[in-house]
Amino acid sequence: MPSEAISKASGMPPAPTAPQVKLARPPRRLASLKDAAAYQSCSVNTVERQVDNGDLPAYRLPGSRLVRVDLNELDALLDAAVIAPTAADR
């Protein structure tokens, strides 16, 4: 017997279906500090400094000593650091 028939027989409305939910942000792209340094063409010390200053969030994997950074957050940090050209540069 279909569930609608059972619902109609019991006098209860059919159960609503779950709405489709879109993700608010893209999935994380976690990378090691070494890989993040290569991604932005700098040294590992620079990435560590960005993490220490609070400019770049870092994540420690559960049960591990490994530290990872999200390349999406690194992209946002780099986009915010773009310098607008001045009149002298044109």
Side-chain angles (χ1 to χ4, degrees):
M1 227 153 97
S3 62
E4 289 181 8
I6 294 172
S7 297
K8 288 178 183 178
S10 65
M12 300 292 294
T17 58
Q20 295 291 333
V21 178
K22 292 185 180 182
L23 294 176
R25 62 180 171 87
R28 289 191 171 148
R29 299 182 301 153
L30 296 179
S32 67
L33 298 182
K34 181 179 177 182
D35 291 340
Y39 183 77
Q40 64 176 341
S41 302
C42 69
S43 70
V44 175
N45 289 341
T46 300
V47 177
E48 289 174 343
R49 191 169 43 254
Q50 290 169 329
V51 170
D52 291 341
N53 291 342
D55 296 330
L56 181 63
Y59 304 92
R60 186 176 303 275
L61 301 178
S64 173
R65 292 176 38 192
L66 300 176
V67 175
R68 298 286 187 249
V69 295
D70 186 350
L71 294 180
N72 295 327
E73 292 170 347
L74 181 57
D75 285 338
L77 178 66
L78 294 175
D79 288 344
V82 172
I83 299 172
T86 63
D89 294 334
R90 295 181 196 172

